[in-house]
């Protein structure tokens, strides 16, 4: 049994806006084990990024943490420590955790490096936060080592270049080098490949996977791209309107999805084998999170919605020991409803491909 | 880079030619004459016109002017300082204007920049509102009004600083003009630095730098301030020219014998060559500073730095 390094319990985050309070995250709970990759999946605006910002200690002026606990276990200067990241003081966060224990890779590599600082210096800056006693030669060596680790050749040229002189893929590699410079135990990837073109995407994903295996990193992967999820994740949390509506291993989610929202997401992935002319989509848009939500947040868009979906919020029903979904369809009194046929066929094909 | 600078210089020459031509025509179209001594007879005035070549057709005059200008001869003054070369008049009066203008730019830019950074760091607090209030005042009050207010308070009420320039005490007597001139620069720099910095603080690269776990002081100094500075420098250039050229009224208010005062007197006296010469000089200054700032901007911001060669 691997140890749990991060435990988020009943996290609720809102943002105060002119329109009112937006409840972006409404009671989120999940666990992350050492060496595990967890994917947070969902549409834009479902609270994926809002739920990891508190983990990174990012406060925004209008951000309000309504409730919750984020317990993080790490090897600190005084041995193993467990802290609540929501209660920890800023200084400790900055000195012991940010960059050293938890690192982050951002969505857009084009804007996430300081345009006026040389690459080498930006990496060195990250190294210095954890090991400040390095001589300048040792520091340079470490920078070179990191650039080499993320698979960039001509190291000396790159070190003395500015971000605008590198391509998007190269920049994302540099961001990864910066993130891993202090040997963190948790890496948060906020849509790290969304802004890159497809061929580069695969390479960056492979790089992250490789480094994760080598270093035993725990990774939280935020994405709306299910292809990416299938590629990297051990466990998948499907989020909708600030809540996890289905959680399970990658196999659970891809081969045996139970929530109608997950069905919708999976059906909406284009597939060359489909003869359908039209790509299935999920009708409607995410609910207005400034208003109180009664019943299941997904009900208005759910073609399989039951009457109770509009009245009472479904609890998490257990499918197997590692697979849960919040839909009344799993209640024993519910009518038997199967996933759409198109999706069934697809899953059959995928299973075939996987097990062949 | 060379090609770029060459192109800019060619455009500059064309601009200068056009400015001179238009101004030349406008001067001749203005009523009055440079020779206004009532004791002079009509014949004497005509003789002066002939002496300076002002009796010829306008285009011929212009041609002669351009020809002489190419040789570095900008003509002589007709009435302000009779027969003194214009170049000498400029050389005489410019240093004071330059000193005041540069000092005002430096003082205004530094004060404004610091105020803007403080305001951005204390975003949405009383300090922020105070800084913003000061800068709104600074932008909306014309500098000659500030000049008058300053001289009322510090010269006529408190007797601390002189109200008019005196060559014996140049340092003390330029303090008030510098403050008066720098308010607009300060206010503009403050507003600009503040909004730029707030934007930069929310940018992705600051999030990334913060996620490295560096101290807040380092984050602000190394990443935020540096990037803010680059943007502020771009707005400073036009402001600097405003100060050197736009100091006319303030110079007049404090009776400073600078180029601005001379310019106004020359216009009032129809001293054609002096007006043309000073305008030409200001235009060169303007174009030169703009070019200089573009190059400077390239040195500071690697993104616009062009390849060598």
């Amino acid at each position: 049994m691997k140890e749990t390094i991060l435990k988020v319990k009943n996290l609720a985050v809102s943002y105060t806006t002119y329109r009112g309070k937006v409840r972006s995250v409404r009671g989120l709970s999940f666990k992350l084990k050492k060496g595990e990759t967890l994917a947070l999946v969902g549409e834009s605006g479902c609270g994926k990024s809002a739920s990891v910002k508190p983990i990174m200690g990012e406060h925004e002026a209008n951000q309000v943490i309504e409730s919750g606990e984020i317990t993080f276990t790490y090897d600190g200067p005084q041995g193993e420590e467990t802290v609540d990241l929501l209660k920890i003081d800023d200084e400790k966060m900055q000195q012991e955790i940010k960059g050293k224990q938890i690192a982050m890779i951002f969505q857009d590599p084009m804007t996430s490096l300081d345009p006026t600082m040389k690459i080498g210096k930006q990496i060195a800056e990250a190294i210095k936060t954890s090991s400040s006693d390095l001589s300048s030669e040792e520091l340079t060596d470490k920078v070179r080592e990191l650039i080499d680790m993320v698979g960039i050749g001509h190291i000396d040229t790159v070190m003395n270049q500015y971000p605008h002189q590198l391509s998007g893929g190269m920049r994302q590699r540099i961001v990864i080098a910066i993130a891993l410079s202090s040997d963190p135990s948790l890496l948060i990837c906020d849509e790290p490949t969304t802004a890159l073109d497809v061929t580069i995407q695969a390479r960056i994903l492979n790089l992250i996977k490789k480094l994760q295996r080598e270093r035993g990193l725990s990774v939280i992967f935020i994405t709306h791209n299910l292809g990416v999820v299938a590629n990297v994740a051990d466990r998948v949390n499907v989020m909708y309107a600030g809540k996890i509506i289905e959680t399970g291993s990658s196999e659970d989610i891809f081969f045996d999805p139970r929530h109608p929202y997950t069905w919708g997401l999976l059906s909406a992935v284009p597939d060359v084998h489909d003869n359908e002319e039209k790509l299935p989509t999920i009708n409607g848009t995410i609910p207005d999170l400034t208003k109180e939500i009664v019943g299941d947040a997904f009900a208005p868009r759910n073609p399989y919605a039951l009457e109770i979906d509009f009245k009472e919020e479904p609890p998490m029903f257990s499918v197997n020991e590692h697979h849960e979904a919040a839909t009344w369809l799993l209640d024993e009194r519910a009518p038997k409803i199967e996933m759409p046929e198109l999706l069934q066929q697809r899953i059959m094909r995928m299973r075939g491909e996987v097990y062949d | 880079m060379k090609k770029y600078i060459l192109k800019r210089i060619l455009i500059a020459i064309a601009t200068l030619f056009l400015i001179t031509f238009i101004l030349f025509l406008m001067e001749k179209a203005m009523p009055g004459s440079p020779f206004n001594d009532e004791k002079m007879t009509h014949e004497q005035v005509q003789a002066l016109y002939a002496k300076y070549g002002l009796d010829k057709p306008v285009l011929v005059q212009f041609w002669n002017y351009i020809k002489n200008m190419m040789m570095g001869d900008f003509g002589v003054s007709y009435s302000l300082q009779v027969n003194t070369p214009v170049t000498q008049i400029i050389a005489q009066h410019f240093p004071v204007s330059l000193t005041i203008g540069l000092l005002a730019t430096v003082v205004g830019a530094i004060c404004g920049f610091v105020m803007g950074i403080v305001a951005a760091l204390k975003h949405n607090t009383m300090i922020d509102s105070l800084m913003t209030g000061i800068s709104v005042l600074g932008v909306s009050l014309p500098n000659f009004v500030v000049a008058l207010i300053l001289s009322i308070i510090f010269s006529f009420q408190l007797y601390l600083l002189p109200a008019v320039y005196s060559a014996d005490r140049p340092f003390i007597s330029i303090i008030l003009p510098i403050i008066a001139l720098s308010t607009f620069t300060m206010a503009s720099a403050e507003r600009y630095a503040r909004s730029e910095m707030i934007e930069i603080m929310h940018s992705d690269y600051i999030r990334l730098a913060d996620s490295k776990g560096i101290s807040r002081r380092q984050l602000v100094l190394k990443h935020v301030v540096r990037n803010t500075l680059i943007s502020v420098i771009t707005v400073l250039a036009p402001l600097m020219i405003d100060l050197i050229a736009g100091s006319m009224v303030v110079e007049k208010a404090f009776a400073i014998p600078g180029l601005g005062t001379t310019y106004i007197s020359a216009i009032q006296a129809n001293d054609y060559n002096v007006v043309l010469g000073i305008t030409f000089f200001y235009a060169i200054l303007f174009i030169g500073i703009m070019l200089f700032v573009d190059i400077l901007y390239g040195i500071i911001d690697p993104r616009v730095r062009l390849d060598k060669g």
Side-chain angles (χ1 to χ4, degrees):
Chain A
M1 180 75 190
K2 282 181 187 165
E3 55 184 309
T4 301
I5 76 158
L6 183 79
K7 200 162 109 190
V8 176
K9 216 169 119 190
N10 201 24
L11 179 70
V13 184
S14 5
Y15 288 88
T16 41
T17 66
Y18 290 115
R19 276 177 57 233
K21 201 186 240 180
V22 181
R23 279 176 283 268
S24 295
V25 182
R26 307 180 301 136
L28 185 81
S29 302
F30 65 85
K31 278 182 196 165
L32 180 67
K33 293 196 181 104
K34 199 165 169 16
E36 187 182 47
T37 301
L38 174 78
L40 288 181
V41 192
E43 281 167 277
S44 309
C46 73
K48 295 175 303 226
S49 296
S51 55
V52 296
K53 276 186 180 161
I55 303 176
M56 241 355 251
E58 283 191 60
H59 312 294
E60 280 143 311
N62 59 346
Q63 175 202 56
V64 185
I65 308 281
E66 304 279 354
S67 69
E69 236 175 59
I70 302 174
T71 34
F72 178 62
T73 309
Y74 67 104
D75 281 325
Q78 293 97 36
E80 189 174 279
E81 267 189 87
T82 299
V83 289
D84 185 346
L85 295 179
L86 293 178
K87 298 207 176 75
I88 192 172
D89 64 281
D90 277 356
E91 206 170 317
K92 192 176 163 85
M93 184 81 195
Q94 206 72 24
Q95 279 174 3
E96 286 186 21
I97 298 187
K98 259 193 215 176
K100 288 115 203 163
Q101 295 298 334
I102 306 180
M104 186 152 179
I105 298 174
F106 294 89
Q107 180 168 1
D108 189 356
M110 303 312 267
T111 57
S112 54
L113 291 167
D114 188 330
T116 57
M117 197 186 264
K118 284 183 179 164
I119 299 292
K121 210 174 160 199
Q122 297 197 41
I123 300 176
E125 193 183 54
I127 300 168
K128 276 193 276 183
T129 60
S130 61
S131 31
S132 48
D133 47 353
L134 291 176
S135 71
S136 70
E137 281 109 66
E138 285 173 315
L139 193 62
T140 316
D141 283 346
K142 187 89 201 284
V143 172
R144 301 168 59 93
E145 198 182 296
L146 282 162
I147 298 179
D148 185 47
M149 176 193 78
V150 292
I152 295 178
H154 46 282
I155 299 171
D156 289 294
T157 325
V158 170
M159 270 175 76
N160 289 310
Q161 275 177 324
Y162 288 94
H164 71 277
Q165 291 167 295
L166 304 182
S167 67
M170 293 266 271
R171 289 191 216 184
Q172 197 62 304
R173 283 168 195 267
I174 297 296
V175 173
I176 294 171
I178 288 173
L180 298 181
S181 62
S182 311
D183 230 349
S185 51
L186 171 61
L187 181 66
I188 299 175
C189 306
D190 189 353
E191 312 219 11
T193 57
T194 310
L196 301 173
D197 70 65
V198 187
T199 48
I200 310 292
Q201 274 185 14
R203 286 196 216 153
I204 294 290
L205 282 180
N206 287 335
L207 176 66
I208 295 175
K209 267 163 70 179
K210 175 176 155 259
L211 294 168
Q212 185 211 6
R213 267 199 310 273
E214 286 170 5
R215 294 164 167 246
L217 279 171
S218 309
V219 178
I220 296 181
F221 219 99
I222 301 176
T223 182
H224 57 246
N225 185 338
L226 287 162
V228 170
V229 176
N231 203 335
V232 299
D234 301 318
R235 291 183 58 77
V236 181
N237 284 341
V238 183
M239 286 187 71
Y240 187 76
K243 279 197 165 171
I244 291 174
I245 51 101
E246 184 159 8
T247 173
S249 68
S250 279
E251 288 194 8
D252 292 334
I253 300 296
F254 283 96
F255 294 155
D256 187 20
R258 294 303 176 100
H259 199 287
Y261 179 63
T262 317
W263 294 348
L265 279 185
L266 289 170
S267 309
V269 178
D271 187 333
V272 282
H273 300 292
D274 284 338
N275 297 323
E276 295 283 323
E277 300 250 318
K278 232 174 125 187
L279 186 67
T281 53
I282 306 174
N283 288 323
T285 53
I286 50 165
D288 183 353
L289 293 172
T290 55
K291 298 195 173 78
E292 192 71 47
I293 290 169
V294 181
D296 184 357
F298 185 58
R301 302 170 70 185
N302 184 358
Y304 310 102
L306 308 171
E307 222 181 293
I308 189 167
D309 276 321
F310 293 95
K311 291 176 183 151
E312 201 172 321
E313 189 162 19
M316 276 292 200
F317 288 95
S318 178
V319 180
N320 60 38
E321 60 202 20
H322 45 75
H323 186 187
E324 288 178 7
T327 166
W328 284 115
L329 293 181
L330 290 172
D331 191 280
E332 53 199 9
R333 290 160 290 177
K336 190 104 181 84
I337 289 176
E338 291 291 332
M339 69 176 88
E341 203 172 315
L342 182 78
L343 189 58
Q344 275 182 28
Q345 288 168 4
R346 256 195 219 186
I347 289 174
M348 297 273 275
R349 261 200 315 271
M350 283 200 295
R351 272 182 188 279
E353 280 169 23
V354 172
Y355 296 123
D356 268 350
Chain B
M1 191 72 183
K2 270 184 202 150
K3 212 174 157 189
Y4 171 71
I5 294 178
L6 193 75
K7 198 175 138 197
R8 289 285 300 259
I9 290 173
L10 284 179
I11 294 175
I13 291 173
T15 314
L16 285 173
F17 182 81
L18 214 69
I19 290 172
T20 314
F21 183 64
I22 293 171
L23 196 71
F24 205 88
L25 292 186
M26 280 165 71
E27 273 186 334
K28 303 296 157 178
M30 276 208 312
S33 118
F35 313 109
N36 290 323
D37 196 335
E38 281 172 10
K39 278 174 258 167
M40 281 195 286
T41 59
H42 183 71
E43 282 71 34
Q44 283 174 308
V45 173
Q46 287 307 318
L48 279 172
Y49 267 93
K51 178 186 168 199
Y52 292 120
L54 296 175
D55 51 348
K56 299 198 176 72
V58 175
L59 283 179
V60 176
Q61 285 183 39
F62 181 68
W63 172 242
N64 286 334
Y65 183 79
I66 293 287
K67 234 171 30 187
N68 290 332
M69 202 175 82
M70 293 297 184
M71 322 285 271
D73 176 13
F74 285 81
V76 294
S77 164
Y78 298 142
S79 52
L80 280 185
Q81 302 174 35
V82 182
N83 289 342
T84 319
V86 171
T87 40
Q88 197 185 322
I89 293 179
I90 293 176
Q92 217 171 50
H93 295 281
F94 183 59
V96 191
S97 300
L98 181 70
T99 315
I100 294 177
L102 280 183
L103 282 175
T105 310
V106 171
V107 169
I110 293 176
C111 291
F113 188 64
V114 171
M115 281 168 67
I117 284 173
V118 171
L121 285 175
K122 306 275 174 196
H123 188 35
N124 285 338
T125 62
M126 282 293 288
I127 296 173
D128 184 16
S129 312
L130 181 74
M131 299 290 171
T132 310
I134 294 175
S135 77
V136 168
L137 266 183
V139 174
S140 25
L141 281 180
N143 52 19
F144 58 88
V145 175
V146 179
L148 293 178
I149 295 174
L150 285 174
S151 43
I152 287 172
I153 297 174
F154 291 99
S155 308
F156 299 114
Q157 300 288 326
L158 302 172
Y159 301 107
L160 283 175
L161 296 162
V164 286
Y165 183 84
S166 96
D168 307 331
R169 299 184 298 165
F171 294 111
I172 299 221
S173 43
I174 60 173
I175 292 178
L176 287 186
I178 286 174
I179 299 176
L181 272 178
S182 66
T183 44
F184 187 79
T185 313
M186 183 196 71
S188 314
E190 194 273 344
R191 279 151 48 102
Y192 198 72
R194 177 180 172 275
S195 66
E196 269 302 300
M197 183 152 155
I198 288 171
E199 201 184 306
I200 288 171
M201 282 200 292
H202 286 99
S203 69
D204 279 354
Y205 61 85
I206 296 304
R207 280 180 73 197
L208 180 94
D210 180 55
S211 80
K212 291 176 184 172
I214 57 173
S215 69
R216 188 166 162 78
R217 203 177 63 95
Q218 265 191 315
L219 183 74
V220 170
L221 288 181
K222 277 199 186 164
H223 295 278
V224 182
V225 170
R226 187 188 157 96
N227 280 286
T228 309
L229 187 62
I230 287 168
S231 340
V232 174
I233 285 177
T234 45
V235 289
L236 278 185
L239 286 175
M240 184 151 102
I241 295 151
D242 271 358
L243 286 195
I244 296 169
S247 59
M248 286 173 230
V249 189
V250 172
E251 277 187 12
K252 202 83 177 155
F254 288 102
I256 297 164
L259 208 53
T261 312
T262 316
Y263 197 33
I264 293 180
S265 312
I267 293 171
Q268 284 166 344
N270 277 324
D271 204 338
Y272 298 146
N273 283 343
V274 178
V275 175
L276 273 174
I278 296 182
T279 311
F280 189 79
F281 181 71
Y282 276 147
I284 284 189
L285 211 61
F286 191 94
I287 292 166
I289 291 178
M290 290 308 264
L291 185 61
F292 171 72
V293 165
D294 273 0
I295 295 167
L296 184 74
Y297 189 58
I299 293 169
I300 296 177
D301 189 342
R303 279 169 300 182
V304 286
R305 202 178 295 161
L306 300 168
D307 289 326
K308 293 183 196 83

